[in-house]
Amino acid sequence: MTDLATDPAVVVVGAGPAGLRAAEALTRGGVRPILIDEAERPGGQIYRQPPPGAARSPRTLYGFEARKAVAIHVIPARLGDAIDYRPQTLVWNVFGQHLDTIGPSGHHRLGFNRLVIASGAMDRVLPFPGWTLPGVFTLGGAQIALKAQGVSIGRRVALVGAGPLLPLVAYQYAKAGAEIAAVLDVTPFSAKLRNAPGLLAQTGTLAKGLWYVARNLLSDLVVCSGVRAIGVMGQDRVRGLWWHDAADKEHRVACDAVGASFGLRSETQLADLAGCGFAYDDITRQWLPQRDATGRSSVPGVYLAGDGAGIGGADVAELQGERAALAVLEDLGAPIDTARVAALDRKLARQGRFRNALERAYPYPAHLLNDVDNAEIICRCEGITAGTLRAAATERDAQEMNRLKAFTRIGMGRCQGRVCGPAAAEILARTLGKNIAAVGRLRGNPPVKPIPVGGLP
């Protein structure tokens, strides 16, 4: 265990774009941070590297972003002994000024004076008929299979989404030679037109998005916007996909795999355990840890950067990582480059306008939850159905998420509510006739992810 009185420590959790830029900026300020990451190699989810032996060229893996990905990947090696880099290590608990970790050498308790949480994001999963069948993946999972292992999730794949990841994954799968059965956007095309002026705040990013959309259309893929409902066909595995278009006309395609998710949600568990204050965000319909423009959270000594405290994308994450590191240095009494601070703040403000427009261009697809059947599984860890959740609300007076958890075990499985929590909150709010913010959120509990019992002290 670290003695904070004699051995002060700055810890950065996450070796994606935010965490790596934070670590880099800290070293420039004379601090040797401890950089902890679950993955074997740096890059995070967005710039995930394939395992040894499965390497392909950066251009093949990351397309337009190849140069940025390589610049991120080389940071730990370039910094060398200026950082204490600990890959393959999970931070599974935050308690006071200590972290519980488990890695190649087992369990450790690590003290910190300053903590930068750059925990990233994951796919937002919503239930639909057949979503638990073998052959159904998230879009992020489908992309990881292709990026990390060089494999497709199926021979004939249907892709469904509610964000810019959808056209990107469709392009990547088509380029890799996969047969694409359909590309279904559950958000309306009109929303993109309405928010086009705001998207012009980042013309380069907008151009890349339009390029992917154009390539998909020129490749003669079946692309449909404004999809109202979806369902997987098959009993033991995926056999096909049906959907209702904007005019409520039903369509069907044969496929053996489906990639479906509905935007991204921030990984907020560590911020929760650190005691950070949370606020509900109406646009993205999720509870987010509060941070100011510098990255400081509501807890002194805890800083937030990247998608873990609000989705912004890789470019924003890099800027926020560096900005949070400068806040750390300032709080430690170290001199900082005020001109660089001003430049970062200007860039982040411009990116914020773009992100706001992007979230509105891909609005939350609440309509997918209008007709969830009572028999539909919501929590696959514990086998909890929508009917069980509704009964707890109406028969046992569960008025908020943690009472619902106590009555049903929702959020007590392996995912700790990371997958099922948002959908359960929607069902509870609809059953009670409340605004979703009024039913609250599941409180975080350690371990934030499954750990081997043998690793515990």
Side-chain angles (χ1 to χ4, degrees):
M1 183 184 298
T2 303
D3 183 347
L4 295 179
T6 59
D7 187 19
V10 177
V11 177
V12 178
V13 179
L20 287 165
R21 289 303 184 193
E24 183 182 48
L26 287 166
T27 64
R28 285 199 297 268
V31 170
R32 184 173 186 262
I34 299 170
L35 175 62
I36 302 175
D37 191 59
E38 290 179 63
E40 181 179 4
R41 308 178 74 184
Q45 296 294 350
I46 184 68
Y47 297 137
R48 173 185 284 265
Q49 298 191 67
R56 283 149 284 155
S57 74
R59 183 69 183 177
T60 298
L61 286 169
Y62 311 109
F64 291 128
E65 313 302 335
R67 184 176 57 81
K68 292 178 183 176
V70 172
I72 288 293
H73 292 162
V74 301
I75 288 176
R78 177 163 52 78
L79 295 179
D81 290 338
I83 63 172
D84 179 352
Y85 178 39
R86 303 182 185 183
Q88 296 181 281
T89 300
L90 170 70
V91 176
W92 59 268
N93 188 24
V94 184
F95 181 75
Q97 286 188 288
H98 295 89
L99 305 175
D100 286 314
T101 70
I102 186 165
S105 60
H107 171 87
H108 293 282
R109 177 156 287 186
L110 175 68
F112 66 85
N113 293 93
R114 297 288 188 277
L115 173 66
V116 180
I117 300 175
S119 46
M122 62 177 284
D123 292 87
R124 177 162 50 196
V125 177
L126 297 178
F128 52 86
W131 76 284
T132 59
L133 277 177
V136 180
F137 297 74
T138 63
L139 278 179
Q143 189 183 47
I144 287 171
L146 192 63
K147 194 182 292 183
Q149 304 291 343
V151 299
S152 167
I153 58 173
R155 293 182 180 277
R156 182 173 164 82
V157 179
L159 301 170
V160 186
L165 185 60
L166 175 65
L168 173 61
V169 173
Y171 165 75
Q172 291 172 328
Y173 263 68
K175 182 184 176 186
E179 186 178 358
I180 309 294
V183 181
L184 307 180
D185 184 344
V186 296
T187 66
F189 185 70
S190 60
K192 296 157 186 67
L193 291 178
R194 281 197 304 273
N195 290 281
L199 296 174
L200 290 171
Q202 289 292 326
T203 53
T205 304
L206 176 61
K208 282 184 282 189
L210 292 174
W211 188 87
Y212 291 126
V213 171
R215 286 299 299 263
N216 291 338
L217 293 173
L218 291 172
S219 299
D220 292 329
L221 301 185
V222 175
V223 179
C224 183
S225 292
V227 168
R228 301 299 305 166
I230 59 170
V232 176
M233 298 182 291
Q235 295 298 317
D236 55 344
R237 65 180 180 85
V238 174
R239 306 283 181 178
L241 184 75
W242 62 261
W243 75 91
H244 290 179
D245 64 19
D248 209 26
K249 180 181 178 182
E250 184 168 309
H251 304 261
R252 295 180 177 231
V253 292
C255 60
D256 62 1
V258 173
S261 51
F262 307 95
L264 300 174
R265 60 171 296 276
S266 298
E267 292 272 44
T268 61
Q269 305 95 305
L270 292 180
D272 198 359
L273 295 177
C276 297
F278 276 63
Y280 185 74
D281 182 74
D282 278 325
I283 298 176
T284 61
R285 290 173 83 90
Q286 58 182 315
W287 290 87
L288 295 172
Q290 294 175 287
R291 61 180 169 190
D292 65 16
T294 70
R296 294 179 176 93
S297 77
S298 61
V299 177
V302 177
Y303 308 78
L304 305 169
D307 287 350
I311 306 303
D315 292 349
V316 173
E318 287 193 52
L319 297 172
Q320 289 179 342
E322 183 180 355
R323 186 65 185 88
L326 292 174
V328 172
L329 293 170
E330 185 177 29
D331 292 347
L332 290 173
I336 61 172
D337 183 345
T338 55
R340 181 59 183 164
V341 168
L344 287 171
D345 288 346
R346 285 194 299 273
K347 290 180 180 178
L348 285 168
R350 189 161 58 244
Q351 290 276 7
R353 292 192 293 275
F354 172 79
R355 193 69 209 183
N356 187 279
L358 189 64
E359 293 291 352
R360 294 177 186 279
Y362 290 98
Y364 180 82
H367 57 278
L368 296 180
L369 295 165
N370 286 345
D371 300 307
V372 178
D373 190 87
N374 272 342
E376 191 64 68
I377 293 286
I378 305 301
C379 169
R380 62 194 311 170
C381 299
E382 298 286 327
I384 299 166
T385 64
T388 299
L389 300 180
R390 289 172 177 138
T394 58
E395 298 170 11
R396 308 186 71 180
D397 197 30
Q399 294 286 315
E400 56 85 33
M401 285 298 292
N402 292 291
R403 291 297 290 169
L404 189 70
K405 177 179 179 177
F407 287 139
T408 66
R409 295 187 58 80
I410 191 87
M412 290 188 183
R414 289 173 59 87
C415 83
Q416 291 281 286
R418 294 161 63 229
V419 174
C420 61
E426 293 279 357
I427 289 171
L428 178 61
R430 288 161 186 250
T431 304
L432 296 173
K434 290 184 174 182
N435 183 292
I436 187 170
V439 302
R441 61 185 178 86
L442 292 171
R443 288 188 293 269
N445 285 296
V448 297
K449 293 182 181 177
I451 58 174
V453 174
L456 293 172

